[in-house]
Every structure is written in C-alpha cells, then in structure tokens.
C-alpha cells in the first residue's frame, strides 16, 4: 500500500519491480533492514526483510538479557505480524498469519530470505486472481 502511494506520489523516481516488502506485514511497505526471526509454525530463525518501523520495534533493549531479548522478539512478531481469515471463512474463523492464507499475499515457496514478497509479485497475483492480463 505504502509502496503504491510512494510510486504515485513520486512519479519521477524509478520504482523497482523487485522492491522487497516487510515480511511481518507487506502493507507496511518496503523492507529497509533484515532481522533474524522465527515466524509462528516455522522451525528456525532466519534473516528476513522488515520495514524500518518493525526493525525499530524488534530492537532489543541494551540492558536486556538474552532471554528477555528473545521474549521481546516473540512478542513483537506476534503483535506486528499480519493475520487474516481465509477467503470465504466465517466471522468466527481463526485468523492465520498472512503467508499461510491462500491469495495474493500467500507465500507459495516459503518465507525465507530468498522468498521474500515483492510489490511486483503482489500485482501479478492480483491480476491472475481477477483474470486481468
């Protein structure tokens, strides 16, 4: 969303098709940093692209112990991760992390560093879903 607004606002600036988006919530816009994160339901922490706001929220306090830092990261990921209901599910359906829900934001090939979502991928997926080519 922010990436789209930026492209419209700054028409004279080039808009990279491979713009990496924040892995915690692609609606946050472009990723500006990477952080070691473990997403819910995934086995191990890996370097993942995040926006500047998420990077700041994930920053551990200087005086925090290793355990306190780990708890802080888990709580921050839980609070900032975009969760959605599957299309067609009822209002009482549980929300799932966006990358697990089928649709334009779904992570078809995992959520590792090399599989981060780009603005171009979202546009192509929405066009496919709507039958617009």
């Amino acid at each position: 969303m922010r990436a789209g607004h930026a492209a419209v606002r700054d028409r004279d600036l080039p808009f990279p098709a491979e713009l990496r988006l924040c892995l915690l919530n692609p609606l946050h816009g472009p990723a500006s940093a990477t952080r070691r994160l473990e997403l819910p339901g995934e086995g191990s922490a890996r370097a993942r692209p995040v926006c500047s706001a998420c990077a700041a929220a994930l920053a551990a306090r200087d005086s925090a112990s290793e355990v306190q830092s780990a708890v802080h990261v888990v709580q921050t990921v839980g609070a900032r991760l975009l969760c959605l209901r599957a299309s067609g599910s009822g209002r009482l359906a549980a929300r799932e992390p966006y990358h697990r829900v089928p649709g334009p934001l779904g992570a078809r090939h995992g959520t590792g560093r090399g599989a981060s979502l780009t603005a171009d991928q979202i546009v192509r997926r929405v066009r496919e879903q709507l039958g617009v080519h």
Side-chain angles (χ1 to χ4, degrees):
M1 193 88 132
R2 289 181 188 158
H5 284 291
V8 171
R9 184 183 65 241
D10 302 326
R11 292 179 191 181
D12 296 333
L13 299 176
F15 184 75
E18 290 300 312
L19 179 71
R20 299 285 175 209
L21 300 175
C22 179
L23 187 77
L24 292 179
N25 187 336
L27 302 177
H28 288 170
S32 61
T34 53
R35 295 290 183 265
R36 284 190 63 76
L37 299 175
E38 179 180 338
L39 294 180
E42 294 192 359
S44 62
R46 294 185 291 215
R48 301 173 192 266
V50 294
C51 66
S52 58
C54 286
L58 288 163
R61 293 170 226 122
D62 292 336
S63 61
S65 71
E66 190 174 323
V67 171
Q68 289 171 324
S69 292
V71 168
H72 172 72
V73 168
V74 168
Q75 290 173 339
T76 303
V77 167
R80 298 190 67 86
L81 182 64
L82 175 63
C83 292
L84 304 169
R85 289 187 191 106
S87 179
S89 64
R91 296 179 106 194
L92 299 177
R95 293 179 183 264
E96 293 286 330
Y98 77 90
H99 60 277
R100 291 190 200 157
V101 178
L105 298 178
R108 297 176 182 171
H109 303 290
T111 55
R113 183 180 181 138
S116 59
L117 197 58
T118 66
D120 187 51
Q121 288 171 329
I122 293 173
V123 170
R124 277 189 279 122
R125 291 175 185 179
V126 169
R127 284 182 176 165
E128 286 174 13
Q129 189 173 346
L130 297 175
V132 178
H133 300 284

